[in-house]
Amino acid sequence: MKCLLCGQTMKTVLTFSSLLLLKNDASCLCLDCDSTFERIGEEYCPNCMKIGLSTKCQDCQFWCKEGVEVSHRAIFTYNQAMKDFFSRYKFDGDFLLRKVFSSFLSEELKKYKEYQFVVIPLSPDRYANRGFNQVEGLVEAAGFSYLDLLEKREERTSSSKNRSERLATELPFFIKSGVTIPKKILLIDDIYTTGATINRVKKLLEEAGAKDVKTFSLVR
Ligand SMILES: [Zn+2]
Ligand SMILES: [Zn+2]
């Protein structure tokens, strides 16, 4: 078996449980590549997992004032290795790389048994250009399905706007007509930075009737 990222051949160690359960829990990464990614440590904002502090961060206080109680979990930090990964996966469009983190993701996502998964969608143009939704790829590779509740409309570029202008603009996401909103939702994205997108979509789903919306990203 070859490492999905660097291509070097890996020694595969068959564990008793993988033989017994015929379960494919082998990592798709060699130890060298694996060691370049950094898992979020012990100290982080209890609401959003921002690292380096142990109380509610300023962003989460901001969201609280906006009526959103942030409840986010993530696995990895956005270090250089992760930036390189997303540049290959998203921008070079290497769909095979969706499997790189599947064992980590499956470990985390199986904790949300009572929740229906919903993925942050791409706009139609973005989807057409990339050919796939990178978040759907990650979730499917980890062995989970998701509900198709949301759509994203095209929006004009927002680079000229400042933060408050961006937050004030209309949300480009909407709920598809005729869908049923489940009570418990895990809303999934690839990367959480300010949380602007995912927390505004969380609020949208809560306003549409969801009782408990938690959020999740591979990277924070
Ligand atoms: Zn490797
Ligand atoms: Zn926070």
Side-chain angles (χ1 to χ4, degrees):
M1 190 168 160
K2 286 188 169 156
C3 170
L4 266 180
L5 275 185
C6 71
Q8 76 167 288
T9 306
M10 301 187 283
K11 286 186 211 130
T12 43
V13 183
L14 284 176
T15 61
F16 181 66
S17 75
S18 71
L19 280 173
L20 193 71
L21 303 167
L22 294 172
K23 187 173 75 169
N24 182 20
D25 58 3
S27 174
C28 302
L29 287 178
C30 71
L31 290 177
D32 293 340
C33 288
D34 188 88
S35 69
T36 63
F37 297 103
E38 185 193 10
R39 297 195 73 145
I40 294 172
E42 308 256 287
E43 203 181 30
Y44 48 77
C45 164
N47 292 72
C48 72
M49 290 189 92
K50 186 192 186 93
I51 55 173
L53 73 175
S54 52
T55 52
K56 193 183 249 188
C57 74
Q58 285 204 320
D59 280 342
C60 287
Q61 288 172 28
F62 165 83
W63 287 112
C64 206
K65 289 193 199 104
E66 298 283 304
V68 180
E69 182 65 17
V70 175
S71 177
H72 189 77
R73 285 293 168 264
I75 307 176
F76 294 99
T77 68
Y78 198 39
N79 68 0
Q80 190 57 47
M82 195 55 88
K83 284 177 191 157
D84 294 344
F85 165 77
F86 274 104
S87 137
R88 285 177 63 187
Y89 178 43
K90 276 161 82 162
F91 303 113
D92 300 344
D94 190 347
F95 191 53
L96 262 185
L97 296 185
R98 72 193 184 283
K99 295 177 179 167
V100 165
F101 298 106
S102 54
S103 58
F104 298 96
L105 278 169
S106 124
E107 219 26 61
E108 282 302 309
L109 291 177
K110 72 183 183 197
K111 296 175 184 166
Y112 297 88
K113 282 198 175 61
E114 294 165 17
Y115 289 76
Q116 302 280 338
F117 296 173
V118 174
V119 166
I120 298 284
L122 302 179
S123 70
D125 278 4
R126 181 64 60 80
Y127 188 89
N129 285 337
R130 191 169 294 153
F132 61 92
N133 177 323
Q134 74 279 359
V135 191
E136 291 176 359
L138 294 172
V139 174
E140 280 167 6
F144 296 88
S145 56
Y146 48 84
L147 297 176
D148 189 18
L149 302 182
L150 299 168
E151 256 179 283
K152 184 181 187 189
R153 65 176 77 89
E154 297 300 335
E155 51 178 349
R156 54 197 180 87
T157 53
S158 58
S159 53
S160 57
K161 297 179 206 160
N162 66 31
R163 182 187 157 93
S164 57
E165 282 170 338
R166 274 202 307 273
L167 289 171
T169 48
E170 204 192 340
L171 191 65
F173 298 92
F174 57 96
I175 295 171
K176 291 185 171 184
S177 59
V179 297
T180 307
I181 303 296
K183 292 267 176 288
K184 293 183 165 202
I185 294 174
L186 183 70
L187 186 58
I188 307 174
D189 206 354
D190 48 2
I191 303 165
Y192 185 109
T193 44
T194 64
T197 296
I198 206 165
N199 282 313
R200 292 176 73 200
V201 176
K202 167 181 154 82
K203 193 176 182 185
L204 179 77
L205 290 166
E206 287 170 350
E207 284 167 355
K211 295 281 173 270
D212 179 3
V213 183
K214 295 189 190 305
T215 59
F216 180 88
S217 61
L218 176 68
V219 180
R220 170 72 176 97

